[in-house]
Amino acid sequence: MAGVLGELLITAGVLTLLYVGWQLWIGDLIFGVQRNAVGQDLSEQWEQEYAAPSSTAPPTATPSESPSAEAASPPVEPVIMPEAADGETFAVMRIPRFGADYAWQIAGGVTRARTLDPIGIGHYPGTPMPGDVGNFAVAAHRTTWGAPFNRIAELHVNDAIVVETEEGWYTYRFRTLEYVTPSEVEVLLPVPQVEGAPAGSRYITLTSCSPMYSMTERIVAYGVFESFTPRTSAPPAALTEGVPA
Amino acid sequence: MYAALWQVLPGPWWVRLLIVLILLVAVLYGLFFYAFPWISEMVNPQEVTVE
């Protein structure tokens, strides 16, 4: 009888260690693969939705204007989507530095229960949507739940951060990292960290936890808006050119 | 408990070992893909407060 009890206790111990190992490593691998696949499916779905109804109209409309203007690519005014509801996916984030298959969904809200745990990247309510003047601010886990922002500290200056929606691609360029305390909400201001400054430029702010496996600080990555590529065009060069070493 | 399981399994030792390994893989799959994600949701999430 004591032997059985001992075996049960050992089993319980092994299960607990397995859970810890799953939470720290194996689960992130599984979630990561699953969630990136979901993001890629969504991206393909948008591509097909666009191609299906309007495949006849745009090719005849654009060449009539001027063929050379296409090559010069004048800046296209970005389409500003209405703010997404809590837990509603509206975009897919692509960061070539994190791999060509990196495709995490972005949804409204930053609660763990409704957005960060089950979906991935959350959009801070009240901050602008992608492409809009001001600061498009998002949050995601750096460890656990697939860890969308696991490699946030590996970003290089000028790395592309592309937010893909059904309207097109919003390309941002990474500028700098900052480490702050959790109470420093000024990182979400229209001009990050500048109180009272009027919104003028278009920024992106990625927030996550720091150090890894801890919540004592926040790591913040800032980027600036570069261009908007509508669905009528091919995906932006930022996605296809690869990343410099 | 585990000794009893070993006795119940049919065949020579290497067949039993094979069965045990297959069972082990099945159990781990169930844990990693179903049980642990479910437990993870049950564990009270520490809300990441910013405001």
Side-chain angles (χ1 to χ4, degrees):
Chain A
M1 211 59 216
V4 174
L5 183 67
E7 281 182 335
L8 283 175
L9 288 172
I10 290 168
T11 307
V14 169
L15 284 177
T16 309
L17 285 177
L18 275 176
Y19 180 74
V20 172
W22 174 84
Q23 178 128 58
L24 293 183
W25 301 291
I26 303 160
D28 278 355
L29 291 176
I30 297 170
F31 278 134
V33 170
Q34 287 174 342
R35 303 277 172 84
N36 280 311
V38 171
Q40 275 159 357
D41 287 351
L42 193 57
S43 167
E44 273 165 36
Q45 189 191 321
W46 284 333
E47 193 65 47
Q48 281 161 8
E49 273 173 16
Y50 171 74
S54 51
S55 55
T56 49
T60 51
T62 42
S64 61
E65 292 191 3
S66 72
S68 58
E70 191 76 357
S73 66
V76 183
E77 196 55 31
V79 178
I80 313 299
M81 299 172 72
E83 188 165 335
D86 199 53
E88 181 202 345
T89 298
F90 64 93
V92 170
M93 182 171 282
R94 295 182 170 273
I95 303 178
R97 170 73 60 192
F98 298 166
D101 57 350
Y102 184 90
W104 276 85
Q105 295 182 87
I106 312 176
V110 288
T111 61
R112 283 194 55 181
R114 293 188 298 278
T115 303
L116 301 185
D117 290 358
I119 299 173
I121 303 170
H123 171 232
Y124 284 97
T127 68
M129 290 295 276
D132 206 354
V133 170
N135 187 9
F136 173 61
V138 294
H141 283 296
R142 196 165 170 210
T143 56
T144 70
W145 292 101
F149 288 173
N150 183 253
R151 297 171 61 192
I152 190 169
E154 295 172 31
L155 284 168
H156 291 36
V157 171
N158 224 35
D159 273 356
I161 303 170
V162 180
V163 177
E164 180 182 355
T165 72
E166 57 181 326
E167 304 290 349
W169 295 267
Y170 305 77
T171 306
Y172 291 83
R173 292 287 175 176
F174 170 73
R175 280 296 172 262
T176 186
L177 282 177
E178 189 177 25
Y179 295 87
V180 300
T181 56
S183 61
E184 219 164 312
V185 293
E186 289 81 9
V187 303
L188 305 177
L189 289 173
V191 178
Q193 295 287 34
V194 185
E195 204 142 3
S201 299
R202 302 156 206 262
Y203 300 99
I204 189 170
T205 295
L206 280 53
T207 66
S208 197
C209 284
S210 181
M212 284 211 209
Y213 306 107
S214 166
M215 304 222 309
T216 52
E217 292 172 18
R218 296 287 181 272
I219 183 169
V220 184
Y222 298 112
V224 291
F225 184 73
E226 183 183 66
S227 63
F228 172 68
T229 312
R231 285 257 166 224
T232 44
S233 311
L239 282 183
T240 50
E241 69 195 1
V243 284
Chain B
M1 188 171 69
Y2 293 116
L5 175 76
W6 186 256
Q7 297 303 322
V8 167
L9 292 175
W13 69 268
W14 56 270
V15 174
R16 297 181 193 200
L17 187 68
L18 201 68
I19 296 170
V20 166
L21 287 177
I22 290 167
L23 282 176
L24 208 60
V25 169
V27 167
L28 285 180
Y29 181 85
L31 288 175
F32 286 166
F33 284 84
Y34 299 100
F36 287 166
W38 179 77
I39 293 169
S40 204
E41 274 169 45
M42 293 298 114
V43 175
N44 186 28
Q46 228 178 329
E47 202 54 64
V48 268
T49 46
V50 285
E51 272 126 330

